[in-house]
Amino acid sequence: MTCICSVPKSHSGVKSIAVRVLATTDLHMHMLGYDYFADRPSGRLGLSRAAALIARARQTARNCLLFDNGDGLQGSPMGDYLAEMDDIGARQPHPAIAAMNALGYDAATIGNHDFSFGLGFLRRTLEGAEFPVVSTNLRPHHPLPVQAHALLTRQFHDDQGRTHALRIGVLGFLPPQTVEWERGLKAEIEVQDILLAARTGIAALREQGAELIVALAHSGIGALAPAPMMENAATALAALPGIDVVIAGHTHRVFPSADHPQGPGIDARRGTLAGKPAVMPGFWGSHLGVIDLRLEPLAQGWRIADFTCRAEPVGADEDHPAVTGPALSAHRQTLRHFRRRIGRTERPLSSYFSLIGEDPGLRLVAMAQRWHVRRALRGTRWQDLPILSAVAPFRAGGRGGPQHYTDVPAGRLTLRNIADLYLFPNRICAIRLTGAELCEWLERSASMFLRIEPGKPDQPLIDPEFPSYNFDIIDGLGWQIDLSRPPRYAPDGKLAHPDSHRICALTHRMRPVAPDQPFILVTNSYRLSDSGLFAPVTAGRPVLLDSSCPTREVLRRYVAQRRVLAPNPRAGWSFRPLPGTSVLFETGPAAAGHLDGLSTPVEPAGIAPDGFLRLRLRLHL
């Protein structure tokens, strides 16, 4: 949702400068208004659509700055294709960088996913940038075309048309957890605490004469109180003296917005963090962040006298040639590559009902993971242990909106479908866990659901603060979730209700799981990081396999070998019956065409204001 305020007006009798700050974030290689997973144009995303807004915003403001906030290189089939071809270099600039050059970006930072294809690819990509790339808390062990901070000098005009040279400092930050999420980076880079690095950067820029400091924070909007190595540090960062403007990102939210949670230091309607102007312009090019500043002179330098902030959604039919030109060739090559057929599915593969226990596509991923690990451990001392497979739905609505679902029709399977079924470039890993540890793993997943009061109808089921990519199901086990109990863990992984246990009737092959019973659990490299919801469960556990093979490639090989598939949609878990109780959950409106194939009866309950389809689930036997 958009929160738009009026443009600051000139203060009578005072010489002032109006400066418009424009920002994009988390583009994830969605250069064009095209949904590669659905293989059709989309009016809701794309840098080409955001660029049309940029052009229009520049027409109505004399003094403009344009920034990007990172995570631009990975996250779409085009990004994967370009990394796979790996022919980016001085003679062949990356289409994303070529488009940003053409649009005249003033500076950019990098995000954690920009490292997903390795430092070599990132280095060659950034070498083509004609604008400074700043990363204040990054410490590479070998040179990268990245600087700790940048000082921009821009000739801006005041209300009377007089010219002033303003010195704008730019800092950039990425989550300190980046080296934990991408473990191969630990020997290559260090990432400092955001607030610690910011204080050093602010002092350096002030010494160089910066009159305005903009923080490009590839970091979410979190607590105002500082904490060491904060992942979502944008609010605490804004509170630092010397920071004037904050561009936030990483968590794919829209800010300011009436839908964004308020909190200490967070004014989601005015668009301030710790009282400073701030924006977070969505993801995939869904929005353009716009901050209009009114600067007034001091004895030395300038101060922000007034400001407005907004996140403007992109238009459905507008594109800009500065982006379509550099991206069109790669777009066509991507389509040809990802339309290659590799197999066939006898039933539709959709994620509309993942959160109530039915997702044949998720079962397919689980089967491929188990197949790969079983082969890899053959002949080892672990080969006789039961192998389980943990998977989570990556596209299941949430902040992505009512179209953000996997929906593969029955028939041929292409590389595009494989990319849809497994979105991220994770690697397959396997660890050894006990039955008690598996139960704790599932307790964390069960935090997805709100507490339900028995005997009441139509209670909301899903906690909107819990992302679906953290909702792991473990294929090979059976269990029930008791929704009458509060979640044991909060969405951030903190122990919320120590005496609560939602997971019950945990079985393997129809037999109760003993607390000390050993298992092999197939998971992904992200789950083995030292941070995140599942980090306490994986910490110190024996790693039996840390494969160099991406999960998506394993899935492709599995489908190519089997050729024709018909995975069972049931995930092996259910909600514990609560007589006289019903819940409502939201899914994509296209789910209405799949209701007849469900083994769990649901009833349509209307369309929500945000476009999701509401379904009623009765929690009886």
Side-chain angles (χ1 to χ4, degrees), residues 314-587:
V314 299
D317 301 314
E318 292 183 287
D319 285 294
H320 197 286
V323 180
T324 56
L328 195 55
S329 176
H331 169 67
R332 290 169 176 165
Q333 294 173 46
T334 299
L335 291 180
R336 285 196 296 270
H337 177 72
F338 279 89
R339 285 171 176 167
R340 289 167 46 199
R341 178 178 175 175
I342 57 170
R344 181 177 180 83
T345 174
E346 295 293 293
R347 58 166 42 110
L349 309 176
S350 80
S351 61
Y352 294 121
F353 310 107
S354 290
L355 307 186
I356 60 169
E358 297 204 22
D359 187 337
L362 211 56
R363 286 296 310 279
L364 176 57
V365 174
M367 291 158 60
Q369 290 185 164
R370 185 187 291 107
W371 167 78
H372 175 78
V373 170
R374 183 176 289 115
R375 296 174 67 199
L377 296 183
R378 190 174 297 153
T380 72
R381 63 192 178 110
W382 313 111
Q383 66 176 3
D384 295 327
L385 283 182
I387 299 176
L388 310 173
S389 189
V391 286
F394 295 144
R395 282 166 42 86
R399 295 171 194 169
Q403 280 74 46
H404 192 62
Y405 291 86
T406 295
D407 191 349
V408 179
R412 70 174 190 163
L413 285 172
T414 65
L415 289 177
R416 172 177 63 84
N417 303 138
I418 298 299
D420 192 351
L421 289 166
Y422 204 92
L423 197 62
F424 296 108
N426 298 325
R427 306 182 316 277
I428 284 187
C429 300
I431 57 177
R432 185 163 62 88
L433 293 178
T434 65
E437 290 162 346
L438 289 170
C439 193
E440 279 298 291
W441 193 293
L442 293 172
E443 286 285 359
R444 292 173 183 273
S445 288
S447 302
M448 162 69 77
F449 305 111
L450 298 170
R451 186 178 189 178
I452 301 302
E453 188 172 345
K456 285 194 173 183
D458 293 357
Q459 301 172 67
L461 176 64
I462 306 299
D463 183 346
E465 296 303 309
F466 193 104
S468 67
Y469 60 75
N470 270 341
F471 181 62
D472 270 10
I473 65 105
I474 299 181
D475 194 60
L477 294 179
W479 68 98
Q480 288 187 333
I481 299 175
D482 186 349
L483 295 176
S484 69
R485 296 177 176 271
R488 181 170 170 80
Y489 296 96
D492 62 1
K494 293 178 181 176
L495 189 61
H497 298 91
D499 296 328
S500 181
H501 296 277
R502 285 183 150 184
I503 303 302
C504 49
L506 183 63
T507 61
H508 174 250
R509 295 179 179 174
M510 308 298 291
R511 295 180 179 178
V513 172
D516 60 349
Q517 189 173 348
F519 293 90
I520 295 172
L521 181 68
V522 187
T523 183
N524 62 64
S525 51
Y526 178 76
R527 289 288 186 260
L528 297 191
S529 66
D530 296 332
S531 64
L533 181 65
F534 298 91
V537 190
T538 62
R541 304 311 188 267
V543 178
L544 311 185
L545 177 68
D546 190 348
S547 173
S548 61
C549 191
T551 306
R552 189 185 299 166
E553 174 60 17
V554 168
L555 180 57
R556 185 198 67 79
R557 294 176 185 174
Y558 181 76
V559 171
Q561 184 191 74
R562 294 298 177 95
R563 300 298 295 171
V564 179
L565 304 118
N568 188 330
R570 287 300 304 168
W573 66 272
S574 62
F575 297 117
R576 188 174 184 180
L578 298 175
T581 309
S582 66
V583 294
L584 296 177
F585 77 98
E586 296 183 349
T587 187

Side-chain angles (χ1 to χ4, degrees), residues 13 29-30 103 126 168-170 174 195 231 280 304 374-375 377 386 398 415 423 456 465 579 582 604 616 618:
M29 270 311 293
H30 287 82
L103 288 170
L126 296 183
I168 300 107
V170 184
L174 71 157
L195 302 182
E231 176 184 350
M280 186 191 294
I304 298 176
R374 183 176 289 115
R375 296 174 67 199
L377 296 183
L415 289 177
L423 197 62
K456 285 194 173 183
E465 296 303 309
S582 66
R616 178 180 295 109
R618 300 187 185 277

